Amino acid sequence: MKRSLTWHDLIGFGVGGMVGAGVFVTTGRASRTCAGPAVVLSYAIAGLCALLSAFCYTEFAVDMPVAGGSFSYIRVTFGEFPAFLTGANLIVDYVLSNAAVARGFTSYLGTALGLPATAPLRFTAHALPKGYNEIDLIAVVVVLLITFIICYSTKESSWVNMSLTALHILFIAFVIAAGFWRGKLVNFTEAGYPENAGGFFPFGATGVFNGAAVVYVSYIGYDAVSTMAEEVENPEKNIPIGVTGSVVMVSALYCLMAASVSALLPYDMIEADAPFSGAFSEGPSGGKWVSNVIGVGASFGIVTSLLVAMLGQARYMCVIGRSCVVPTWFAQVHPSTSTPVNASSFLGILTAAIALFTDLDILLDLVSIGTLFVFYMVANAVIYRRYVAVGTTNPWPTLSFLFCFSLTCVMFTLLWRFAPSGKPKAVMLAACVAAAIALLQVFLFMVPQARKPENWGVPFMPWIPSISIFLNIFLLGALNRGSYLRFGFFSGLTVLVYVVYSVHSSFDAEEEGILCEKAGESIKESVGREDHIL
């Protein structure tokens, strides 16, 4: 694919990809059912976790500026099967989150047009089960239109994104200013209905972390930026600025916007599907025109988010096709547009089909767990790659550290969630923290780094990726049982596809020596570069 993007494009893609989805689709649910006014802290925790993960992604993207993001990084580090499991889960995340965002667009479009909340923008199919019976044709049209745009050109897609993002940033400034100007501090501490819990933490500290797990899907946009590394000019300079800069900017915007909506209305009166338009129409800001402006601005943001995420999901599928673990038809790049047309079209149609009938809450539960799992894998991979040189370094000390550290984090998370409050719980949590720090110190003392990045690397190795591992596991522990059941189902299906088809297809391609011919050269080049460095 053609290298035509600069750091300006990457920041535009990052801001456009993240801001549209997060605040406008997940804030209402996270505030009303998980964290209350403390949703501001939920966004801050999720933002910190995303920033640490972004550092890990950036080190890989600078050293291996190829498309494919986490799939490419984990394939080079841990091999084909973990990479396929990771890549398949992330593609599922993209498809489901894009479907969720598209359905959110319909809610805000009604507000922008001044329609009442009961307006029939969706219609009910009574023959379908609950949660899958609200048919949304508007979401389908939006997804298919964006699919056409991203198939046409990446650079032109960037221009469209930059234009919409600029308008969207102006709208965000209006929302923040209006929210703080017309909001009330009392809404941060009092519920709207007396039967509900009050205070800044109505659901306690657990609710804050549950909210962080829900809103973490909002940060999936920076991962989409890393998948475009193959199309970036001067990647060692532009990728670190683009990825980390966009995460920092978006985290600040998220916290400010969550605070503004919390100031306008008590948490138990915020609408779950369209929180901002509802807050401005019912809150002290008054006036139907304000709600209409919110609807228009949110619609712009959702479109930019869809544009970036759909660009990212197509590049993941393209690179997975290059490895031959899925049919190489997905890896084909159109000669005139230089875009992965087949992958973009297939995933666009799949996204539209899911957006047609699946409820928003079901989609968001599925997305968060897969995203956290993928970011957890990348954090492990960056540590392994720094401390293990294939063929010259014994990998078992590093693998043992990663396993023991993850096990300690799991123990801490289970104690936090299930142990009864009291002194014994505090002692056990402190013991887990002490054990994790001791593991890090022993690892630092016993195992030297096998390689250091030439251009850009994660600072304070291995502390930052280790903290990222902990935060991802901790947020995974905040998700509900249904999320794990669905995640297990998709992971099991992925394993089945790999055993039945993928392992044989990739092996045959490698045996015949046509892997590069069939699937492009990016992954082969990255593996070759890695071997040369080591």
Side-chain angles (χ1 to χ4, degrees), residues 109-170:
L109 180 63
T111 303
L113 298 176
L115 300 176
T118 57
L121 293 179
R122 303 185 183 105
F123 64 90
T124 303
H126 297 287
L128 296 175
K130 185 178 180 181
Y132 303 91
N133 60 348
E134 294 291 328
I135 306 301
D136 194 332
L137 295 176
I138 295 174
V140 173
V141 172
V142 170
V143 169
L144 294 180
L145 179 61
I146 292 176
T147 299
F148 173 78
I149 293 173
I150 66 175
C151 287
Y152 180 71
S153 170
T154 301
K155 189 63 179 178
E156 276 68 23
S157 297
S158 176
W159 293 339
V160 171
N161 173 72
M162 293 287 279
S163 301
L164 292 176
T165 299
L167 294 173
H168 188 45
I169 292 298
L170 293 176

Side-chain angles (χ1 to χ4, degrees), residues 71-85 498:
F71 173 80
S72 300
Y73 311 149
I74 294 174
R75 183 166 185 255
V76 169
T77 307
F78 292 134
E80 184 177 84
F81 173 68
F84 182 59
L85 182 63
Y498 183 81

Side-chain angles (χ1 to χ4, degrees), residues 324-345:
C324 297
V325 292
V326 296
T328 54
W329 179 83
F330 291 109
Q332 294 177 15
V333 176
H334 196 278
S336 60
T337 64
S338 296
T339 60
V341 175
N342 293 347
S344 300
S345 302

Side-chain angles (χ1 to χ4, degrees), residues 494-532:
T494 300
V495 172
L496 181 63
V497 171
Y498 183 81
V499 171
V500 172
Y501 173 83
S502 304
V503 67
H504 307 291
S505 177
S506 62
F507 178 78
D508 291 342
E510 187 174 357
E511 283 288 297
E512 295 170 14
I514 58 173
L515 187 58
C516 280
E517 296 175 19
K518 290 177 65 179
E521 297 181 356
S522 294
I523 296 297
K524 282 284 191 178
E525 289 176 357
S526 66
V527 175
R529 185 183 300 111
E530 179 76 4
D531 292 341
H532 175 71

Side-chain angles (χ1 to χ4, degrees), residues 13 45 54 57 101 118 180 209 238-239 277 319 330 393 404 443 447 497:
F13 276 130
I45 293 168
Y57 269 85
V101 172
T118 57
F180 283 116
F209 290 103
N238 290 325
I239 291 176
S277 59
V319 173
F330 291 109
T393 303
C404 293
F443 180 69
V447 183
V497 171

Side-chain angles (χ1 to χ4, degrees), residues 103-301:
R103 289 181 71 89
F105 176 85
T106 302
S107 300
Y108 279 102
L109 180 63
T111 303
L113 298 176
L115 300 176
T118 57
L121 293 179
R122 303 185 183 105
F123 64 90
T124 303
H126 297 287
L128 296 175
K130 185 178 180 181
Y132 303 91
N133 60 348
E134 294 291 328
I135 306 301
D136 194 332
L137 295 176
I138 295 174
V140 173
V141 172
V142 170
V143 169
L144 294 180
L145 179 61
I146 292 176
T147 299
F148 173 78
I149 293 173
I150 66 175
C151 287
Y152 180 71
S153 170
T154 301
K155 189 63 179 178
E156 276 68 23
S157 297
S158 176
W159 293 339
V160 171
N161 173 72
M162 293 287 279
S163 301
L164 292 176
T165 299
L167 294 173
H168 188 45
I169 292 298
L170 293 176
F171 156 74
I172 287 173
F174 166 76
V175 170
I176 294 172
F180 283 116
W181 179 258
R182 297 181 180 272
K184 298 179 179 179
L185 288 177
V186 68
N187 289 332
F188 284 100
T189 56
E190 292 185 6
Y193 301 102
E195 64 270 19
N196 294 327
F200 188 69
F201 299 95
F203 301 96
T206 301
V208 175
F209 290 103
N210 290 344
V214 170
V215 303
Y216 197 53
V217 63
S218 311
Y219 293 92
I220 197 172
Y222 83 81
D223 177 73
V225 172
S226 73
T227 68
M228 301 175 195
E230 186 174 315
E231 300 161 88
V232 177
E233 298 175 353
N234 193 12
E236 62 272 8
K237 172 188 174 183
N238 290 325
I239 291 176
I241 297 175
V243 175
T244 59
S246 61
V247 172
V248 171
M249 290 177 60
V250 168
S251 297
L253 291 173
Y254 277 165
C255 292
L256 290 172
M257 292 190 73
S260 72
V261 76
S262 296
L264 283 169
L265 276 182
Y267 76 92
D268 55 347
M269 297 178 67
I270 295 174
E271 292 185 18
D273 289 341
F276 284 87
S277 59
F280 275 88
S281 62
E282 298 177 22
S285 55
K288 189 175 181 180
W289 70 271
V290 179
S291 179
N292 293 349
V293 171
I294 299 296
V296 172
S299 299
F300 277 128

